[in-house]
Amino acid sequence: MNLSSSKILAGLRAGWTWLAVAEPWSLRGEQQRPAPGRRMGAELTLALVMALLAVLIEWAFDAGPARTAGSGVGAGLVTLLRRRLPVPALIVACLLGTVLPGMALVQMLAGWSAGRRVVGTRRAVVAFSLAYLAGMAALAVHPGAGVPLTPSNAVILTLVYLAMVVMPGLVSRYWTQRKTLLHALQERNAQLLWERRMIAGQARLMERQRIAQDMHDSLGHQLALIAVHTGALEVDPELTGRQREAVGVLRTASVSAMHELREVVGILRDGVEAARPGPADETGRAARGTAGVAELVETARAAGNTVELRTEGEPRPLAAAADHAAYRIVQEALTNAYKHAPGAPIGVALRYEPDSLVVEILSGPPRTPAGDVVSGGQGLTGLRERARLVGGMVHAGAVDGGGFRVAGVLPYGAGESTPLAAAVDDVRWQPPAGLPGDGGPAMDWNAAGRDIMMGELDASMRRGRNSGLGLGCGVAIGALFLVVMAVGAVLWLVVDEFDAGMIDTEEYDRIKVGTAEREVRDRLPEGGTFTTEGLDRKGPPKPDGSECLVLMSSEMTDTLTTEPVFRFCFRDGKLIEKKAYHTER
């Protein structure tokens, strides 16, 4: 018993999985598709709704219990199988829809599904043609809803088939292919944008490498000469102690400058900053952080400047990038004070506030006029950019009395990974997840670059949506025009059918018994339309050996249960009887 139950459950699970077929032409990832359970739940709900609608329609047509139940079961099964077997479901829907009015809505759903899932134009044309022929063959074998297969009825049913089956299939096919194409273009566009960024980034990297090489070859050589000459002067016995101390300061400064130049060249070449050492090393290079501020102050004092360092609050650790920015603010402010206010007293203050570190450098008015100063004008601008990258700010300006003040506010929690170069100029990128060729994070995907690229992608997507909207509107207008034409043709054919099977009372009275059959038929409509179908089997018995023509009356009756008709019976080439009577509708 348990084994049988397991086999049954396994079979049901396999059938469930088989029915949960994926969408065709879809380039979306599996994570973007609805789960099979949710999709099949929606399909079961739709199948139940279509089955109930089919039962209600059959009940409205006074169908028997067997026919009503069969229509409901057929509608449910076709709805469930339309995804996995779109062509057989379409053929069965059209085959049953011709003779069962309850399958009319299922025909539309099957046409929509087949247009969406049948891959290839030729296959789609063959599928819809087979469905049309199956419907016509079923109508020829078993007329549905009392509609015989006459030429005029065939034209009407063809137009109905085009409007109810072919048109939904065309709209569904266009909509699905357009969405698939748009998604493919979006992915292609994103990849092209990423590749363009990589090419531009490589060009910038090559330019940075060229600049780094020039700096290394020119400045490195000059600094090396300064270090060699100052080292030789430092051991010259003819110098005094004061002179030897000044030369030692110059040699230390040149060695530190060579180290910093090497780091800057490395940043320009590789785009990353080298690891920072501890407070000091054997080369005499100062630590590049708040711990190195004291060394900067001592070096300035050794050069003959009056510098005072003041620390307020309890020292707190900063992130490496913010710590380095604090060092650079003090260094640049001291350099500006040396150049623009020689001999002026300088005050350096480090204030550890609850939420940030405040670095303030205040220099007094110059005691001696400054000579020709070589300045690129980029020092303070670089400080502001450096502070901005770590979430801080720098203010610089003159103070009352002729002094100058530089103050920076740096948060404690600034991240270390922020690049020193401008974010939009950084060349380290990687494509968005899901793009072709996504083999791993070969480059950084920084926020600024992502926003720029996605902005361009969104703009291109909007342009694609606008052009697609215009095309879609054109297709919708064309489809609406075809539907209006089909409805108009159907109405015209219906009116023509009524005219071919109806006469008024005056015409009936003018025809006399005994008139030649040819003359009477020339004056009467042809009959034999769906409006007169079945009327010859009702009413009084026909004269023996006669052939009768039954037509509807143009007059309306007071009740909805009876229909006034006129019957003309012929024998031996003459009209032998004409009779007016009422039949049940």
Side-chain angles (χ1 to χ4, degrees):
M1 182 64 180
N2 293 335
L3 183 61
S4 300
S5 301
S6 301
K7 291 182 177 180
I8 294 174
L9 291 177
L12 292 176
R13 190 178 298 109
W16 184 279
T17 305
W18 181 77
L19 287 175
V21 62
E23 295 292 341
W25 299 322
S26 179
L27 300 178
R28 297 179 298 174
E30 291 293 337
Q31 68 277 9
Q32 294 179 333
R33 297 176 182 171
R38 181 192 302 177
R39 184 165 60 235
M40 284 308 302
E43 289 296 316
L44 289 175
T45 303
L46 180 61
L48 180 61
V49 171
M50 298 304 295
L52 291 177
L53 290 177
V55 169
L56 291 176
I57 293 175
E58 292 292 342
W59 178 75
F61 276 84
D62 295 330
R67 174 174 160 178
T68 302
S71 181
V73 172
L77 291 177
V78 170
T79 302
L80 283 178
L81 296 175
R82 63 184 173 83
R83 295 168 60 91
R84 173 59 68 175
L85 303 173
V87 176
L90 176 64
I91 294 175
V92 172
C94 293
L95 186 67
L96 297 179
T98 306
V99 296
L100 298 176
M103 296 290 293
L105 296 179
V106 181
Q107 281 182 309
M108 299 178 63
L109 185 61
W112 177 277
S113 183
R116 180 184 179 89
R117 290 172 174 80
V118 177
V119 180
T121 304
R122 294 183 179 178
R123 294 181 180 179
V125 171
V126 170
F128 281 87
S129 299
L130 290 177
Y132 171 75
L133 294 177
M136 288 300 176
L139 188 63
V141 174
H142 184 281
V147 180
L149 186 58
T150 61
S152 58
N153 292 344
V155 173
I156 294 176
L157 293 175
T158 301
L159 293 176
V160 172
Y161 175 79
L162 292 176
M164 294 187 61
V165 180
V166 177
M167 188 59 63
L170 291 177
V171 174
S172 173
R173 193 174 189 83
Y174 161 77
W175 185 259
T176 303
Q177 289 180 341
R178 179 185 175 276
K179 287 199 304 182
T180 304
L181 178 61
L182 181 60
H183 185 76
L185 291 177
Q186 290 171 1
E187 286 194 343
R188 178 63 175 169
N189 193 25
Q191 184 178 6
L192 291 177
L193 290 174
W194 169 60
E195 291 175 354
R196 189 182 72 178
R197 291 287 176 183
M198 286 190 62
I199 294 173
Q202 290 174 355
R204 286 195 296 270
L205 182 59
M206 293 178 63
E207 182 64 17
R208 285 164 58 166
Q209 290 177 345
R210 186 190 65 79
I211 295 173
Q213 188 65 40
D214 290 343
M215 291 177 61
H216 181 272
D217 294 343
S218 59
L219 294 180
H221 176 71
Q222 300 298 332
L223 290 174
L225 287 178
I226 294 174
V228 171
H229 285 289
T230 54
L233 283 174
E234 191 175 11
V235 298
D236 191 340
E238 296 183 0
L239 296 180
T240 64
R242 175 65 178 169
Q243 290 174 337
R244 188 173 290 109
E245 183 181 354
V247 171
V249 172
L250 291 177
R251 186 185 67 82
T252 302
S254 63
V255 172
S256 298
M258 290 176 62
H259 281 289
E260 294 191 8
L261 176 63
R262 187 177 295 112
E263 286 192 0
V264 172
V265 169
I267 293 174
L268 285 175
R269 282 179 175 174
D270 304 329
V272 294
E273 191 170 5
R276 303 183 184 87
D281 56 23
E282 66 276 7
T283 65
R285 170 190 169 204
R288 292 172 58 189
T290 53
V293 172
E295 185 70 21
L296 287 175
V297 171
E298 290 298 327
T299 303
R301 289 172 181 170
N305 297 280
T306 303
V307 184
E308 179 185 357
L309 175 62
R310 185 175 72 257
T311 302
E312 301 177 2
E314 183 177 355
R316 294 178 55 181
L318 280 78
D323 197 36
H324 178 64
Y327 177 86
R328 286 302 190 193
I329 291 173
V330 175
Q331 184 185 49
E332 181 66 23
L334 291 176
T335 302
N336 288 338
Y338 303 156
K339 294 189 295 184
H340 299 285
I346 304 171
V348 178
L350 299 177
R351 295 200 301 272
Y352 290 90
E353 302 290 345
D355 57 348
S356 60
L357 170 66
V358 178
V359 181
E360 185 177 12
I361 301 92
L362 179 62
S363 60
R367 294 180 178 177
T368 60
D372 294 335
V373 178
V374 179
S375 176
Q378 300 297 320
L380 293 177
T381 302
L383 290 183
R384 293 188 179 96
E385 180 65 16
R386 189 184 295 274
R388 184 188 65 82
L389 290 176
V390 298
M393 59 181 294
V394 170
H395 172 75
V399 297
D400 296 339
F404 196 82
R405 176 177 176 269
V406 177
V409 180
L410 303 172
Y412 294 122
E416 185 180 3
S417 61
T418 306
L420 294 180
V424 289
D425 291 334
D426 197 1
V427 300
R428 296 168 292 150
W429 298 80
Q430 77 176 39
L435 287 182
D438 183 14
M443 298 181 180
D444 288 339
W445 176 253
N446 58 63
R450 181 177 64 242
D451 293 341
I452 292 174
M453 195 187 83
M454 293 310 295
E456 296 181 6
L457 179 59
D458 290 340
S460 64
M461 288 170 59
R462 285 194 295 270
R463 290 192 296 268
R465 281 196 295 265
N466 292 335
S467 60
L469 180 61
L471 181 60
C473 291
V475 172
I477 292 174
L480 180 61
F481 176 75
L482 291 177
V483 171
V484 171
M485 291 290 293
V487 172
V490 170
L491 292 177
W492 179 80
L493 289 173
V494 169
V495 172
D496 185 68
E497 288 290 302
F498 273 98
D499 289 340
M502 182 181 297
I503 63 172
D504 54 20
T505 305
E506 296 178 356
E507 184 66 26
Y508 172 79
D509 293 337
R510 283 195 292 266
I511 297 176
K512 306 298 182 182
V513 175
T515 307
E517 179 179 358
R518 180 180 297 275
E519 180 181 352
V520 174
R521 288 189 179 274
D522 291 340
R523 297 172 60 180
L524 295 177
E526 296 179 359
T529 66
F530 73 91
T531 59
T532 60
E533 178 68 22
L535 295 179
D536 56 344
R537 295 189 296 269
K538 303 176 182 179
K542 301 177 183 179
D544 295 335
S546 63
E547 181 181 353
C548 299
L549 173 63
V550 181
L551 300 174
M552 297 176 58
S553 173
S554 60
E555 295 183 357
M556 301 296 295
T557 60
D558 296 334
T559 63
L560 298 177
T561 58
T562 60
E563 180 74 29
V565 297
F566 300 126
R567 188 177 70 183
F568 301 89
C569 295
F570 304 95
R571 188 174 59 195
D572 299 333
K574 293 183 179 181
L575 177 64
I576 63 172
E577 180 189 62
K578 69 173 187 176
K579 187 176 289 293
Y581 55 91
H582 289 74
T583 62
E584 297 292 332
R585 292 183 183 272

